Amino acid sequence: MFSWLGTDDRRKKEPEVFQTVSEGLKKLYKTKLLPLEESYKFHEFHSPALEDADFDNKPMVLLVGQYSTGKTSFIRYLLEQDFPGMRIGPEPTTDSFIAVMHGDTEGVIPGNALVVDPKKPFRKLNAFGNAFLNRFVCAQLPNPVLESISVIDTPGILSGEKQRISRGYDFAAVLEWFAERVDRIILLFDAHKLDISDEFSEVIKALKNHEDKIRVVLNKADQIETQQLMRVYGALMWSLGKIVNTPEVIRVYIGSFWSHPLLIPDNRKLFEAEEQDLFKDIQSLPRNAALRKLNDLIKRARLAKVHAFIISSLKKEMPSVFGKDNKKKELIASLGDIYKRIEREHQISPGDFPNLKKMQDQLQAQDLTKFQPLKPKLLEAVDDMLASDIAGLMVLVRQEENQKPNPVVKGGAFDGTLHGPFGHGYGEGAGEGIDEAEWVVARDKPAYDEIFYTLSPVNGKVTGANAKKEMVKSKLPNTVLGKIWKLADIDKDGMLDDEEFALANHLIKVKLEGHELPSELPAHLVPPSKRKIVE
């Protein structure tokens, strides 16, 4: 008789089906999370509401650092061209937030025009007022790098109370707004100026909960000797350890990110390897963009739930008629105890709660009697989103990744070392001799031949057992020696002739020098007499 009730209930429990991840994120946010945020004034306490552009925009990279650490030069190095509004100098030159984005023509869009453009993800920056908007511009230019990512350049961080007050807007709050929406945060340090000022310390603390996005660059490292560089690196790690409260060590990339000659080229190889690692990290951003947006929505939903519990608890404790002001002071003072009670009652991790001191300051300006009581239906919608809808989107993320060609950042500095002799590791390790007419192994073959003929070859070949006795003297693990054997035994007969034996010893030497072995034998390492077999 009442079977339709059960059917309707089941329909509600089924996760929604979406065509794209972006469409799914927008709909889940608007229908399930946004009503909870609006009911409990989430946007007044934490972060403005998200818009469609926040889900559709390209991955963004935020550059943060003290003045003259090379933030603008870093962007110039990536793009390999100047961008509108760019100024570089040893003094604090960049006095604005500059969003460097792709456009068909070069130009600058001022802040007040930017925040009314629905296609740009900056509309909610309107809340920071004219003092900020007069210091915010978008530089547009046609550049292949910007087809995949956008870069946000920030004013150099200063030290001293006077400079901080003169900004006219909450610098740390603006950076926190960007931190929630960007895919990567790069903190730049100058090898000569490691001091972390009060404002910089405040900024790093404002980036709390976004540690997974932070990368650190120790720039201008070519200006100091190797011994000093080791000390500078140690001092930087020590300073960061006092501010960034995580058990993991933050990844620090060392280099000189501009197109000038290295002043002290001793650590050239180190700088090249570090640059390649950083470039790979940035190039992976388009591939992981959907997953990052999904992750940020989950983080936001967890905070919104906790916020709802806090607000409804305060409302519940407030008297309806007399003694409102005294009760408000009492509740704000005992907010820490309310946190603990909510933590126990709802099994919430302490790390999910907002900053206690900041929350107490914000509550001072609020009328606690106008807060909403707990609305279970709103919380159930968010719980349902986290439990079932998000899982469906995770599957869709993987499907989209498999359907699209591998999206990576191209152009500019990313293409500079992609091909040709200036690629990282070109002509080194297994790549040694790649451009030479003669077989590179032939140089050391006379020495290898002497060992070969002591191993009792039969019909010009040594058995696997005899070759093993010599190869294990390298002290390399069996897994590595097994790979070397597979690469060297070109005719796959289970034995090695003099050329194959020489090749095996060459590959052992490559590995002992710290290089990686190739997964397949490069053409230039194939012995001349075996090249027809490989073909």
Side-chain angles (χ1 to χ4, degrees), residues 90-110:
E91 76 282 6
T93 47
T94 305
D95 63 343
S96 302
F97 281 80
I98 304 176
V100 186
M101 306 182 84
H102 187 267
D104 294 331
T105 55
E106 280 196 24
V108 174
I109 305 171

Side-chain angles (χ1 to χ4, degrees), residues 191-207:
H192 288 97
K193 293 187 297 188
L194 284 187
D195 59 306
I196 298 178
S197 67
D198 293 343
E199 188 177 34
F200 201 4
S201 177
E202 189 181 312
V203 163
I204 294 172
K205 285 172 183 170
L207 302 178

Side-chain angles (χ1 to χ4, degrees), residues 336-385:
D337 296 329
I338 294 171
Y339 275 20
K340 286 175 185 172
R341 191 179 74 236
I342 294 169
E343 188 184 323
R344 283 193 309 272
E345 286 178 6
H346 301 282
Q347 289 82 47
I348 296 169
S349 167
D352 287 352
F353 284 83
N355 180 276
L356 180 62
K357 177 73 173 69
K358 187 179 175 185
M359 193 72 176
Q360 286 172 323
D361 292 342
Q362 289 172 319
L363 285 169
Q364 300 287 355
Q366 296 285 339
D367 183 351
L368 273 56
T369 58
K370 291 184 178 176
F371 285 171
Q372 294 290 324
L374 198 62
K375 296 178 180 176
K377 280 194 175 179
L378 292 178
L379 286 164
E380 280 170 19
V382 175
D383 285 335
D384 181 52
M385 177 187 88

